[in-house]
Structures are given as structure tokens and as C-alpha cells.
Amino acid sequence: MKFCTVKQYFDDENNNNVTNGIATTVIPLPNKHLKIKANNKEMEQYEQELLRNVMPQELTKLILAANYLNFKEALDFFCRTVANAIQNKSVDYVRKFFGLESDFEPGEEEKLCKEFAWSFEGVDED
Amino acid sequence: MLRHDLPQDVVVEILSRLPVKSLMRFNCVHKSWYALMRSHHFIIKHHKFATSNNLGRGVLFKYRSSKGHLCVSLLSNDTLEVSRDVDLLSLFPDKIDYLPCIYGPCNGIFLLQGLYKMGDNAEDLVLWNPATRETKVLPKIKRGCRYNSGKHLDCKFGFGIDPNTNDYKVVRIVDCHGCRQQPQFEVYNLSTDSWRVIDRSPSKLYNIHSSRFPSYLNGFHHWKAAEVYMKARGKGWMFPEHGPTRMFIVSFDMSNEVFLETPLPTVPCALGSLKKDIAVINDSVSLIVGYRGTRNLRNGWFDIWVMSSEIGVERTWTKKFKVEGSGLEFADRLLEIREDGLVILHKIDGSMAVYDRKTQELRKFAKYGNHSYECLAVTYTETLAFMNGGGNISE
């Protein structure tokens, strides 16, 4: 069932969403998951390993691949990885990460930062 | 930095896995993110993810310091270490004298009741989200001339969610001792930010007890209640002159706004006092019955009864399990029976203890205050729900 989209991809020449390199990382994931599903610690270590070897740019491609292939587990895993990576980061970092620019009026943004000042405590340095 | 733009639904997936503190900071990232966090769909999605993955959990812990001050801390759910202290009294519009009750949590929101000594038993109610640190003061309840001033007004509350509209509701039971009046019932809707009197009431007259444990589950709020009778000529109600007082569980259906009443089970009665409390434990409405040892008066244990909850079927009670061990004392204040089999207690000397039902081990933690009176510990899951400015979550 999961692999219908994979077959579709291989039949579709113009597909930019998935490259060979990605396919080797994403597709074996479900098996790996099943093997070490029981052991959370092992999974965490595997995730950390993966993160170390993957650059943020690659991560986008991985996410897009998982999304396109409709791999729920892989998508969940990558989203969790990104969430963990950015949860302690600053507003600026996150903006750059998602390629966003602030669309607030200067006064508005300041007001918000003041209102939620407590949420800025303990944030990682950029 | 991401080269390709992620589709919006993937961004939502990532954001729904973030803790509330991060999301509150990321309100400043972009207007679309600010709006997303206030959308009904996202709030529910985020809370569901946290609940199913045991994320964003905390323990609200209230106690009296050795100097007698009210202290409230938020503890880590895993280690029970203090994450931060909270000054609940400062959340009220005026300086309150006493905080008798904390209701909830209902999807991560608490209802705080503050009392003022002066002025006719006046009180303030505040809705509080510990995760977003947002509060909402409820409109003051009009005390009409229906009640003679000077008579003692007794108010009990229930707090819950109408599962059909996802609206938060508070039900208020006004009992006027010394009046011939029957108790009056009023309901507050967060969606309309107003109170209204309802004409439904329980079929019998009850003295309803304030909840000491979380008492809301799946659209119902539950109270322990004693059946009472109107005095013949005098005003007010009284306990039965002959025979035992019959105890019931009275439940308020948040959706249909009607009351259900079921007798409590007849429990074996040992010598000495019996403590009975209604509590929601592991998604079941339970009755905690505390016993005192007969041979060793210091010893204590608890029987946990569970009420059946099928709709349309008569509600019955089943004795489910026992909490007992040599480390448990009758004087211990039972705070919480958790899903993971741990029981949080406050010992008479003020130390917090955790009793593991599986291993029967008792572990003592730090000392909080000098004794266990008025202590409270409740586990909650953080939520992003906003309560002010029409950001409520009705559909």
C-alpha cells in the first residue's frame, strides 16, 4: 500500500520530489522502525545519527519525499526531528529556517514580544 | 536553511509537535503563524498529539508553607521537581483572602475560585491556562435581592466542556442557608461570557460537597452529595433525624444541562472514620474510600470503586483495586492516583511521597510545608487554547 506511490514515482520521469539519494534513506525507514520500535532509546540514537549526517537542506527534501510518498511514520519522524531541532531557537532563526519574513508592523511585533516575554527565556543563542 | 518551501500542511505538522512555550514565542514569527495558533483546528490537533504522546505534562501542586502562605508550583510530571512557582493570587483582579478550590483540568485549563472575606461572601472566578499563562476573569455573578443580605450564601461549582460545542462551561449551585428557597443553578458559557439561570435541578434535595479531586470526564462534572430534607417550619435544610445519611453522586451533563443522580455503593464500614471522595482516575469516575487500620490505628489503606459509564444503562459501582502498603498511614493525604501506577501522597510531616503500587515502594521527596492540610496535586496536559478576545474554541 505504501509502495504504490513509489512505483508511480519511478514511472514518472519528471518528478523532482524524490531523488535516488533520498530514496535510499526514506524507504528503508519503515523496516528500521519496525525492528527497533520497541526500544525508544535505540530509536532516539538512530534519529540522532540520521540528523548528524543530514544537512537542513537535505532534511527538506526528505520531508517532501516522505510527504509525497505518503509515508506517515517517516513524515512523523522527520517532523518530530525538525520540531526538536527548532523548539529552543530564536524567532529569527526559525524565520530563516522556513524562509519567512516578518509581516508584522514594527509596533505590533514589539507588543507581542513583550506580551510573551516569558517564552523568550532560555532560548539558544543564534 | 531550507531551500524548498515546505507545503503548509507539513509546517502545521511540525508546529503541532512543538511545546506550548515554543509556540508562544513563535507567535512573533509571522502573522499566519499567529492566526494558525488561534485556529480551532490547530489547537485541537496540538492537544491531541500531546495527549497521545504523553507530552507537555505537568503537575499543579498547591500547599501551605510553614509560615502559612499559599504556595503553588508546577512540577515536572516525570521527576516531580519544581519547574516554576506560580502566584495564583496575583491572577485575581482584587486581593483575595482565600483560594478554596481549583477545578479541572479540562483540556489543560483550570478554574480558580477566590474568596473575599469582606462583602457578603463575594468571590471571583478565574479561568487559567498554565501553559500559555493566560487568564480570564469571569463576569461577577449578580447577587439579586432574592437573597437576603447577611444570610450565609453557599456556592459550589462545577467546571467542564460541552463536547458538542467544545464550549467551556461553569455550573454554579447557590444554596442559601436560612432561606426557604431551593438551591438555584446557574451556568456560564465561555462563548457568550455570561451567566444564566437554568430551571433544571436534581430530583432530590442535596448538600453537595466541593470536589477535592478532578471531577470532570467526557462532558460530565461529578460531585459527592448527601441527601437532605427541608426543615418543617424553620428555614433551610437538615440531615435526616433518624437513620444514616444517604450519599449519592450527582452529575451535571454539560451538553444537555440536566442532572443525573446515583447512590454511592454501600461500602464495608470499619471502626473509625471513613473518608470518601469522588475522583476521575484513569478516565473513570471513581470513589476513593479511605480506611483506618483497626489493629494499627496509624495504618491506612484505600479502596477504589469505579462507576460504569455506558449511556442509557443504569450506573453501577464495582470495587476495582486497593491501595495499601506498610508505608501508608491513615493521616496521609492522598493527592493523586496516576495512570502509571504511582500514588502521590502528602505525609503528615509535610513531605511529599510517591508510592508505587507495583513495587509497593514508598519514596519520600522534599518537604513542602509542615502538614498535609489543604494540599492538592493534579496532573494536566498543556494546551494552546486561548480564552480571551473571542479566541474561544466553539465551532
Side-chain angles (χ1 to χ4, degrees):
Chain A
M1 295 153 287
K2 284 183 192 140
F3 293 90
C4 290
T5 352
V6 180
K7 184 177 182 299
Q8 238 183 317
Y9 156 70
F10 282 115
D11 294 340
D12 181 357
E13 289 175 303
N14 283 327
N15 202 305
N16 288 322
N17 287 333
V18 184
T19 65
N20 279 331
I22 307 303
T24 55
T25 322
V26 174
I27 289 168
L29 261 184
N31 279 330
K32 189 78 187 174
H33 257 267
L34 284 170
K35 280 186 194 160
I36 59 179
K37 204 178 186 182
N39 197 332
N40 272 327
K41 231 180 170 176
E42 259 192 71
M43 198 59 217
E44 265 172 49
Q45 284 175 346
Y46 180 74
E47 286 177 10
Q48 301 228 8
E49 263 298 307
L50 209 66
L51 197 63
R52 235 176 285 151
N53 301 334
V54 168
M55 297 298 288
Q57 299 94 312
E58 289 288 294
L59 201 52
T60 333
K61 290 190 195 166
L62 286 172
I63 292 175
L64 289 172
N67 193 35
Y68 178 75
L69 294 167
N70 210 20
F71 272 18
K72 288 264 150 55
E73 287 88 351
L75 191 62
D76 171 57
F77 163 57
F78 291 131
C79 289
R80 265 189 294 119
T81 311
V82 175
N84 285 335
I86 65 170
Q87 76 177 14
N88 245 11
K89 296 290 186 224
S90 70
V91 172
D92 276 331
Y93 182 101
V94 168
R95 276 206 198 110
K96 289 203 190 91
F97 191 86
F98 286 93
L100 292 167
E101 274 182 37
S102 170
D103 57 347
F104 286 107
E105 310 295 318
E108 280 180 340
E109 193 178 328
E110 212 181 276
K111 216 175 92 179
L112 277 179
C113 290
K114 224 177 170 182
E115 193 182 337
F116 304 126
W118 57 269
S119 66
F120 287 79
E121 290 163 24
V123 170
D124 292 344
E125 297 277 321
D126 277 350
Chain B
M1 309 316 143
L2 307 188
R3 293 273 173 82
H4 310 265
D5 275 332
L6 287 176
Q8 183 63 4
D9 53 344
V10 173
V11 176
V12 170
E13 288 297 322
I14 294 170
L15 293 181
S16 64
R17 285 157 170 77
L18 285 170
V20 174
K21 182 181 170 192
S22 308
L23 288 174
M24 294 306 282
R25 185 169 66 251
F26 298 158
N27 262 298
C28 307
V29 167
H30 200 260
K31 274 185 181 169
S32 63
W33 283 29
Y34 180 94
L36 174 73
M37 291 182 213
R38 281 153 185 78
S39 74
H40 175 44
H41 170 78
F42 182 75
I43 291 170
I44 301 274
K45 185 183 176 72
H46 177 268
H47 193 72
K48 264 204 183 122
F49 185 83
T51 317
S52 5
N53 291 282
N54 281 348
L55 296 171
R57 280 197 162 183
V59 178
L60 173 77
F61 181 52
K62 176 184 98 151
Y63 63 100
R64 284 262 167 204
S65 72
S66 8
K67 294 202 179 106
H69 299 135
L70 176 72
C71 299
V72 178
S73 304
L74 297 179
L75 316 175
S76 145
N77 189 50
D78 300 317
T79 64
L80 292 180
E81 279 166 12
V82 178
S83 310
R84 67 181 175 104
D85 291 325
V86 190
D87 184 3
L88 285 190
L89 300 182
S90 69
L91 302 181
F92 286 83
D94 298 311
K95 190 172 174 298
I96 59 166
D97 297 295
Y98 183 49
L99 197 116
C101 275
I102 297 178
Y103 300 89
C106 293
N107 285 4
I109 308 273
F110 288 95
L111 177 72
L112 312 171
Q113 179 191 3
L115 279 183
Y116 302 92
K117 256 188 270 187
M118 308 304 287
D120 213 8
N121 278 350
E123 72 217 325
D124 261 327
L125 295 173
V126 174
L127 283 173
W128 174 53
N129 181 337
T132 61
R133 309 199 186 186
E134 195 199 7
T135 57
K136 179 175 177 55
V137 181
L138 265 55
K140 280 223 185 285
I141 303 155
K142 286 208 195 92
R143 288 174 183 269
C145 46
R146 222 186 114 139
Y147 304 112
N148 304 321
S149 61
K151 304 283 184 190
H152 177 68
L153 261 185
D154 197 15
C155 290
K156 305 280 162 50
F157 295 92
F159 174 48
I161 301 170
D162 176 344
N164 290 331
T165 60
N166 272 318
D167 194 8
Y168 284 96
K169 287 187 180 176
V170 179
V171 56
R172 176 184 184 241
I173 305 161
V174 190
D175 205 355
C176 181
H177 297 263
C179 297
R180 308 211 72 199
Q181 327 268 10
Q182 298 270 342
Q184 177 168 278
F185 301 88
E186 295 160 6
V187 172
Y188 166 85
N189 287 66
L190 179 60
S191 55
T192 60
D193 192 26
S194 61
W195 292 91
R196 58 193 155 81
V197 179
I198 57 169
D199 53 15
R200 303 288 203 111
S201 59
S203 64
K204 295 197 242 281
L205 201 58
Y206 294 100
N207 176 29
I208 288 179
H209 295 215
S210 282
S211 323
R212 195 164 83 68
F213 292 93
S215 305
Y216 167 80
L217 182 68
N218 296 339
F220 286 81
H221 181 100
H222 308 274
W223 298 275
K224 184 179 77 172
E227 190 180 359
V228 295
Y229 304 89
M230 287 300 266
K231 288 182 185 161
R233 265 174 312 181
K235 301 164 191 176
W237 53 262
M238 60 179 195
F239 289 103
E241 282 171 345
H242 310 286
T245 304
R246 299 207 323 158
M247 300 300 296
F248 286 77
I249 178 171
V250 173
S251 316
F252 184 67
D253 179 343
M254 290 282 163
S255 214
N256 301 308
E257 297 185 356
V258 291
F259 293 88
L260 290 178
E261 303 147 62
T262 306
L264 289 185
T266 319
V267 300
C269 197
L271 278 172
S273 43
L274 262 187
K275 302 184 267 193
K276 284 193 215 165
D277 286 289
I278 298 284
V280 169
I281 302 171
N282 297 354
D283 285 339
S284 298
V285 178
S286 314
L287 178 73
I288 304 173
V289 187
Y291 289 90
R292 181 170 220 159
T294 41
R295 265 174 284 171
N296 177 1
L297 286 177
R298 275 191 65 183
N299 195 227
W301 75 90
F302 302 92
D303 272 348
I304 313 298
W305 295 69
V306 168
M307 188 176 77
S308 67
S309 57
E310 294 152 54
I311 303 170
V313 180
E314 192 187 318
R315 310 194 296 180
T316 54
W317 293 91
T318 318
K319 187 156 101 169
K320 216 51 192 264
F321 58 90
K322 210 170 181 161
V323 178
E324 58 179 343
S326 54
L328 290 182
E329 295 178 323
F330 182 68
D332 290 343
R333 188 169 165 101
L334 177 73
L335 297 182
E336 197 184 12
I337 297 177
R338 286 161 45 132
E339 280 173 18
D340 49 16
L342 296 181
V343 179
I344 303 182
L345 304 157
H346 205 217
K347 306 289 273 173
I348 195 77
D349 67 355
S351 56
M352 187 196 243
V354 173
Y355 176 74
D356 191 331
R357 277 172 50 211
K358 294 180 210 145
T359 64
Q360 300 225 332
E361 271 171 42
L362 185 83
R363 253 186 314 150
K364 269 196 184 181
F365 281 78
K367 214 155 141 353
Y368 296 98
N370 277 342
H371 51 70
S372 62
Y373 178 63
E374 254 190 278
C375 203
L376 173 88
V378 175
T379 301
Y380 66 97
T381 299
E382 292 191 335
T383 182
L384 199 56
F386 292 93
M387 301 170 295
N388 285 300
N392 77 72
I393 57 174
S394 27
E395 295 238 305

